[in-house]
Amino acid sequence: MRIDAPVVSPSGASAPKAPAHPLSFTILVSASPGIVLVWTQIWAAFAILVWAIGHYLVPGPTGELIVAAVLIVPVVVLSVRMAKAAIKAEIELAADAPGHSTA
């Protein structure tokens, strides 16, 4: 019969911490140029794909509507994930900025 040893956590272990730097207006303003740049590229590619593939499959607006209906969810998810990643990166940069104390 095998008896497992009890698991002991390190003495300095604590619950997960909140972000060291809260979301602020400055962080949103810093992240917005990157978000706008990438969103422009994402949505331009979406529009080009809808136009090109839609007219290839079914001439007229019917083909465009079919392709747009298929692609809209992935494009929105990609846009939201990219915006979250940009804001997270700005929060991490702000937390690493000189003069910022985490204590």
Side-chain angles (χ1 to χ4, degrees):
M1 179 180 203
R2 181 177 173 204
I3 299 174
D4 292 330
V7 177
V8 179
S9 63
S11 61
S14 62
K17 297 179 182 178
H21 199 45
L23 183 62
S24 67
F25 180 73
T26 306
I27 289 173
L28 291 177
V29 169
S30 297
S32 62
I35 293 170
V36 169
L37 175 69
V38 176
W39 274 10
T40 302
Q41 295 172 352
I42 291 170
W43 288 97
F46 170 74
I48 292 168
L49 281 171
V50 166
W51 173 77
I53 297 173
H55 280 283
Y56 179 74
L57 293 176
V58 179
T62 306
E64 292 176 1
L65 289 173
I66 292 169
V67 174
V70 169
L71 293 179
I72 192 70
V73 173
V75 169
V76 169
V77 169
L78 178 64
S79 297
V80 170
R81 284 187 182 180
M82 192 284 315
K84 286 181 179 180
I87 291 170
K88 182 180 175 185
E90 288 296 330
I91 289 173
E92 290 173 1
L93 283 174
D96 292 339
H100 176 74
S101 64
T102 57

